[in-house]
């Protein structure tokens, strides 16, 4: 009888605390919208890109490799997206810090990629994911990343 009572108390407390508690997240439909916008910008500019979308935990939702882009850009785009979601800031910040501060401290940070093209994606003040772009210059990668997330801002 004690075990049943205890189980009921635990169930009610878990069930009661989860009501109304939801966290924003990025779903496949939103990832597709972002990727479509990024790809559209890349095509307009004539740049071949890899476009990566990660969720808030750094897990892959979407990866697109446009025709003609180098294979190495796959890993670079993933790394940029991971850096952006792990640190909740654009990778351009690390690139600028490397230039301005000599880079010693930044170079020691695990998963910090100091190349523009990775952006966190926020909703209601919560980092719900990130985009990582690679394939052209870092500035061009950043332009395409901005175009991608502009559809949800």
């Amino acid at each position: 009888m004690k075990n049943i009572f205890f189980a009921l108390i635990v169930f009610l407390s878990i069930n009661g605390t989860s009501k109304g508690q939801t966290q924003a997240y990025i779903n496949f439909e939103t990832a597709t919208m972002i990727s479509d916008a990024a790809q559209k910008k890349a095509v307009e500019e004539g740049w071949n890109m890899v476009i990566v979308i990660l969720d808030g935990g750094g897990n892959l939702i979407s990866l697109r490799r446009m025709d003609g882009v180098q294979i190495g850009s796959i890993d670079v785009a993933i790394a940029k997206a991971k850096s952006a979601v792990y640190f909740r800031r654009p990778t351009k910040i690390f690139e600028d810090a490397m230039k301005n501060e000599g880079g010693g401290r930044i170079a020691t940070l695990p998963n910090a990629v100091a190349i523009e093209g990775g952006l966190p994606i926020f909703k209601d003040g919560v980092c719900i994911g990130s985009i990582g772009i690679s394939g052209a210059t870092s500035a061009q990668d950043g332009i395409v990343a901005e175009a991608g997330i502009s559809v949800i801002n």
Side-chain angles (χ1 to χ4, degrees):
M1 185 67 154
K2 249 184 183 177
N3 289 341
I4 293 172
F5 180 71
F6 179 73
L8 183 60
I9 295 297
V10 169
F11 172 76
L12 291 175
S13 65
I14 291 171
N15 191 29
T17 59
S18 65
K19 286 184 180 176
Q21 292 182 356
T22 59
Q23 183 175 358
Y25 66 96
I26 188 167
N27 60 22
F28 182 72
E29 181 181 345
T30 303
T32 301
M33 283 182 4
I34 295 166
S35 296
D36 288 346
Q39 184 174 344
K40 180 180 177 195
K41 180 64 175 174
V43 169
E44 286 172 2
E45 299 294 340
W47 301 326
N48 297 322
M49 303 279 187
V50 173
I51 303 162
V52 170
I53 308 294
L54 302 181
D55 68 13
N59 302 296
L60 184 65
I61 296 176
S62 172
L63 185 148
R64 292 186 188 181
R65 179 176 166 234
M66 296 171 63
D67 293 339
V69 71
Q70 60 271 9
I71 293 168
S73 286
I74 295 169
D75 290 336
V76 173
I78 292 169
K80 288 179 181 183
K82 280 187 177 181
S83 183
V85 78
Y86 287 1
F87 291 98
R88 299 182 183 148
R89 59 184 44 101
T91 56
K92 172 96 167 86
I93 290 174
F94 296 123
E95 182 177 20
D96 292 344
M98 289 286 283
K99 292 175 186 173
N100 298 329
E101 299 172 16
R105 292 184 322 192
I106 301 301
T108 64
L109 294 173
N111 298 303
V113 174
I115 306 168
E116 185 176 358
L119 294 174
I121 301 169
F122 289 95
K123 182 174 183 175
D124 301 327
V126 175
C127 184
I128 61 169
S130 64
I131 185 170
I133 305 291
S134 181
T137 68
S138 63
Q140 292 166 336
D141 294 349
I143 290 167
V144 172
E146 287 283 351
I149 66 169
S150 71
V151 297
I152 60 167
N153 291 335

